[in-house]
Amino acid sequence: MKRTHYCGELRAAQVGQKVTLTGWVHVRRDLGGIVFIELRDRSGTTQTVFDPQHNKPSWELAQSLRSEFVIAVEGTVRQRPAGTENAKMATGEVEVLTHQLEILNPSETPPFQIDESGGAQAGEDLRLQYRYLDLRRPAMARNLVLRHRMAKAVRDYFDGNGFLEVETPILFKSTPEGAREYLVPSRVNPGKFYALPQSPQQFKQMLMVAGVDRYFQIAKCFRDEDLRADRQPEFTQIDVEMSFITREDMYAIIEGLLAAVWLAARGETIPTPFPRMPFIEAMERFGSDKPDTRFGIELVDLTKDFAQSQFKVFRGAVDSGGVVKAINAKGLASATQGQIETLTETAKSFGAKGLAFIKVEGGEWKSPIVKFFSDTEKKALIEKLKIEEGDLILFGADKREIVWEVLGRLRLVVADLLKKQGTLKVRDDQWNFLWVVDFPLITFDRESNRYLSTHHPFTAAVAEDLSLLDSEPTKVRGQHYDIVLNGVELGGGSIRIHKPDVQKKVFEDVLKIPPDIAQSRFGYMLQAFRYGAPPHGGIALGFDRLCAILCGSTNIRDVIAFPKTAKAVDLMTSSPSEVESKQLRDLHIKLDVEDAG
RNA sequence: GGGGGUGUAGCUCAACUGGUUCAGAGCGCUGCCCUGUCACGGCAGAGGUUGCGGGUUCGAGCCCCGUCACUCCCGCCA
């Protein structure tokens, strides 16, 4: 029997047609005299009817059908009898009266039900172990379809704009500057290793030197770092690089891309251009370089107001060069003692020494600290924070960076509390795209006691700041941009350095990479730049995150066909796994682990 | 590396402060009945070493220690 239609496509238009369907038994409703089998394939479900008066052999065979049996049926599409239509089903107007049934393969009872009442609630480990069953669920099948549509929209868009998709190697060279890498031993080069690329960064720059001019790739990337809901060890980026462009060109191209993707995935036109915000403004107002601008609760600066304060904590912060800032969680004065404690713990975990707060309840300021405030200070608070009954004010007083971070995090936490309480409404279908720009080119890393690239060492500086590179390196802005959506970093990129001497200076003088190491790691790049490297720049967008957002999920495992667990394990195939000693010998590797094997 | 959460029937969960609803419910599964169901319905039934290993106790699903798995977060992710 050869399939003529997908289950989900039958409508009244096909009434009277003889059709053959294949698929899985989704639900069996055996009424004794008559059997209904809801048949499912990737497109949806259709009700098939087995009637003994119409065709006794297939009716008899239908008694033996169970969940997830794979069958083929031949029958006639007919209008359902009046009153038995099902408005909840896309195919609910019609049904297939079956003449013939073939069982292509029986199925054991699945470990969880393949529907939203079973599979969606099943434990994550079970779903991952039986991923092939989980992916049969309509919701997961929809995610796969949407991801495909998005990838196609990306390719069509770039193709239409003169880009070439070029594949770059998966076996790359170790460059331990950034994320921890996956290493691959070389059998034919004993003791030497490849690394899987964290991104195709260096190759795409070489493609620019090669004159490709406009490159993109839907590229697999690998990072051996700890996992999160939005981080997998292997993930997919929309990787882009262009020659002879400025930042403005890049903004326009990516805005066009995202508009095309939103149109393909949701049929929505998103307004462009996107707003832009300097890094420093994002930090001052939202305490984050990826602010969710769908709601307020902005950071308010009170440094000047408390510069002479009797309250030693605030005064001390200001005296030692720090700042005093606060957020107003409107409507959260009802917070319990426990919730305040949790907020305090959060603040402490991000470096605060404590958490000063004011609850505005019953016309009073309930707070352990207001007794230290002067009338002028109180007045300033009321005005700047627009304090009203029911508010909860949270303070940060410390070094600028710590206050940003602490209040930025608290802002998100209290927003969640207010959402749960119903006071704050944040729409999931509101798309606040934002370019965050003017990042510092380099930041001082206290841990390693040296300067590190904020983005990566190939980022060009903003031209007018270049003179500060030697004197005040942290004041230099990079030509770096991040694209942010609703508090999620979708991607980032930069205009690159294309002059060999500038690149060398950044490696050696700014980042203090010893010349011999810079040479062995990046020598080919410096050399390439001496042969007429065009000015160029690029960006990379997290494709999985983009898919997750458009699928309405906060977890990228929902949009990756075969993801790994938080411990980077594939539960379906049980990988990683031990290997045979011969394999290790061939690779010249000796293990140094307890309980190996 | 650190912190939080979870682990009881095939699945999702309940079982109050440790003790007569000490192993339960819904779904699923098995059998029988049922010719218009679509969360089909009815009757009957099977199914458990409460993740694993110790410990405390007269008594542990519940408390303690260890361990494993899953998950969320911090660090990390140029």
Side-chain angles (χ1 to χ4, degrees):
Chain A
M1 283 198 273
K2 181 146 175 65
R3 173 169 63 197
T4 60
H5 292 75
Y6 277 106
C7 296
E9 60 182 328
L10 296 184
R11 295 292 184 277
Q14 281 85 32
V15 166
Q17 284 186 28
K18 201 172 157 188
V19 299
T20 302
L21 302 176
T22 54
W24 288 262
V25 174
H26 190 57
V27 190
R28 169 179 60 113
R29 288 184 289 272
D30 185 345
L31 271 62
I34 191 169
V35 178
F36 297 99
I37 297 293
E38 222 174 285
L39 191 60
R40 186 195 68 243
D41 60 27
R42 123 187 157 195
S43 69
T45 63
T46 279
Q47 172 164 287
T48 62
V49 190
F50 295 83
D51 187 335
Q53 292 183 345
H54 178 72
N55 185 300
K56 196 143 194 209
S58 59
W59 170 75
E60 273 165 359
L61 189 55
Q63 319 276 315
S64 67
L65 293 177
R66 294 293 181 271
S67 286
E68 300 308 310
F69 276 32
V70 186
I71 62 174
V73 299
E74 188 190 284
T76 308
V77 182
R78 69 177 185 190
Q79 197 82 34
R80 291 198 189 185
T84 66
E85 302 89 350
N86 187 346
K88 282 182 277 184
M89 283 176 79
T91 58
E93 261 190 272
V94 297
E95 63 189 10
V96 173
L97 180 64
T98 314
H99 320 317
Q100 205 190 333
L101 165 66
E102 187 182 346
I103 297 178
L104 300 171
N105 209 354
S107 170
E108 289 184 19
T109 302
F112 55 85
Q113 285 165 263
I114 313 300
D115 59 25
E116 299 324 295
S117 67
Q121 268 76 42
E124 186 96 32
D125 42 350
L126 199 70
R127 290 175 52 200
L128 289 172
Q129 187 187 343
Y130 296 94
R131 191 60 166 180
Y132 42 87
L133 297 181
D134 195 33
L135 292 174
R136 282 186 199 164
R137 286 170 44 223
M140 293 300 283
R142 268 198 301 277
N143 289 356
L144 291 181
V145 171
L146 191 61
R147 186 175 173 123
H148 163 76
R149 296 243 173 287
M150 291 171 63
K152 181 165 184 337
V154 168
R155 292 202 161 95
D156 288 346
Y157 174 80
F158 281 123
D159 180 58
N161 282 279
F163 285 75
L164 299 182
E165 181 164 24
V166 182
E167 291 159 276
T168 52
I170 295 297
L171 293 177
F172 180 43
K173 175 190 173 82
S174 174
T175 51
E177 288 299 300
R180 194 177 295 112
E181 300 164 318
Y182 282 97
L183 292 177
V184 182
S186 169
R187 177 183 55 82
V188 291
N189 298 283
K192 294 192 175 171
F193 293 82
Y194 303 97
L196 305 184
Q198 309 162 32
S199 84
Q201 180 62 36
Q202 295 173 48
F203 286 109
K204 67 176 175 175
Q205 290 192 244
M206 292 304 100
L207 287 172
M208 293 304 103
V209 182
V212 167
D213 196 79
R214 293 188 155 204
Y215 146 93
F216 87 100
Q217 183 182 191
I218 298 184
K220 265 292 178 77
C221 306
F222 306 86
R223 291 178 191 175
D224 186 8
E225 298 289 352
D226 285 355
L227 287 77
R228 289 283 190 286
D230 61 351
R231 277 164 30 187
Q232 284 273 308
E234 56 180 301
F235 61 101
T236 305
Q237 282 189 345
I238 303 172
D239 196 42
V240 181
E241 199 78 9
M242 288 187 278
S243 294
F244 309 108
I245 57 150
T246 63
R247 283 177 282 180
E248 295 298 329
D249 300 307
M250 183 56 72
Y251 302 154
I253 278 286
I254 295 305
E255 284 163 5
L257 169 73
L258 290 169
V261 167
W262 251 253
L263 194 63
R266 297 182 59 90
E268 268 176 50
T269 305
I270 52 171
T272 57
F274 302 154
R276 298 171 200 173
M277 188 182 291
F279 166 81
I280 195 82
E281 183 185 338
M283 298 310 291
E284 290 285 356
R285 287 177 56 195
F286 299 98
S288 167
D289 61 358
K290 45 177 184 193
D292 190 342
T293 56
R294 287 176 299 174
F295 59 93
I297 322 182
E298 291 189 23
L299 280 58
V300 171
D301 193 89
L302 303 161
T303 309
K304 287 206 180 90
D305 304 288
F306 286 97
Q308 309 299 324
S309 182
Q310 297 297 301
F311 184 44
K312 282 183 188 153
V313 174
F314 287 4
R315 172 76 182 269
V318 181
D319 284 349
S320 52
V323 299
V324 178
K325 291 169 93 77
I327 54 174
N328 183 348
K330 288 220 161 281
L332 206 62
S334 54
T336 61
Q337 190 59 39
Q339 283 174 316
I340 298 277
E341 251 164 56
T342 308
L343 291 172
T344 307
E345 285 311 308
T346 305
K348 283 183 178 167
S349 71
F350 289 101
K353 291 172 197 77
L355 179 63
F357 67 92
I358 302 172
K359 277 182 173 184
V360 185
E361 235 178 351
E364 267 185 89
W365 286 15
K366 296 180 180 169
S367 163
I369 57 166
V370 281
K371 59 186 175 215
F372 301 110
F373 292 173
S374 70
D375 287 345
T376 330
E377 287 162 358
K378 286 181 194 168
K379 200 165 156 245
L381 287 178
I382 293 171
E383 277 175 18
K384 291 195 171 175
L385 287 159
K386 304 188 171 56
I387 296 180
E388 297 171 328
E389 174 69 18
D391 290 357
L392 173 69
I393 313 296
L394 301 172
F395 293 89
D398 212 307
K399 281 212 270 285
R400 189 173 77 153
E401 288 77 8
I402 290 179
V403 171
W404 285 343
E405 170 108 32
V406 168
L407 291 184
R409 296 284 181 155
L410 288 176
R411 175 176 177 265
L412 297 178
V413 174
V414 298
D416 275 340
L417 292 175
L418 289 168
K419 274 189 253 177
K420 275 183 198 136
Q421 166 181 316
T423 318
L424 181 69
K425 298 259 185 287
V426 177
R427 285 174 47 197
D428 288 332
D429 59 349
Q430 181 183 339
W431 311 109
N432 280 25
F433 291 95
L434 178 70
W435 287 107
V436 177
V437 299
D438 290 340
F439 283 81
L441 182 68
I442 51 179
T443 7
F444 187 75
D445 181 57
R446 218 166 292 131
E447 207 169 298
S448 56
N449 200 35
R450 63 193 179 115
Y451 291 110
L452 293 176
S453 300
T454 308
H455 184 46
H456 59 49
F458 318 118
T459 303
V462 170
E464 65 249 42
D465 294 356
L466 203 53
S467 56
L468 300 170
L469 199 52
D470 293 309
S471 50
E472 292 179 282
T474 53
K475 292 249 170 82
V476 177
R477 289 167 298 168
Q479 294 201 50
H480 166 197
Y481 31 80
D482 272 2
I483 179 73
V484 172
L485 169 61
N486 296 352
V488 176
E489 184 193 327
L490 282 185
S494 62
I495 301 299
R496 326 295 187 192
I497 297 167
H498 65 283
K499 302 270 192 194
D501 53 328
V502 177
Q503 185 66 75
K504 194 163 189 282
K505 183 181 170 68
V506 169
F507 285 149
E508 293 175 8
D509 298 350
V510 181
L511 300 176
K512 307 283 185 215
I513 302 173
D516 54 325
I517 296 201
Q519 182 60 34
S520 70
R521 271 179 210 161
F522 305 112
Y524 74 96
M525 241 180 149
L526 296 172
Q527 185 179 31
F529 286 175
R530 291 201 296 269
Y531 289 94
H536 61 285
I539 194 167
L541 277 66
F543 188 56
D544 310 285
R545 285 183 194 178
L546 202 56
C547 290
I549 288 168
L550 284 169
C551 287
S553 175
T554 52
N555 194 318
I556 64 171
R557 287 191 299 269
D558 287 341
V559 298
I560 294 174
F562 300 103
K564 293 179 176 58
T565 68
K567 271 207 175 154
V569 168
D570 177 348
L571 291 177
M572 188 179 73
T573 65
S574 302
S575 112
S577 60
E578 278 117 21
V579 296
E580 287 172 21
S581 51
K582 178 179 185 309
Q583 292 174 284
L584 290 177
R585 273 202 310 276
D586 285 351
L587 295 168
H588 322 283
I589 287 178
K590 285 200 182 78
L591 294 184
D592 181 22
V593 285
E594 287 170 43
D595 295 324

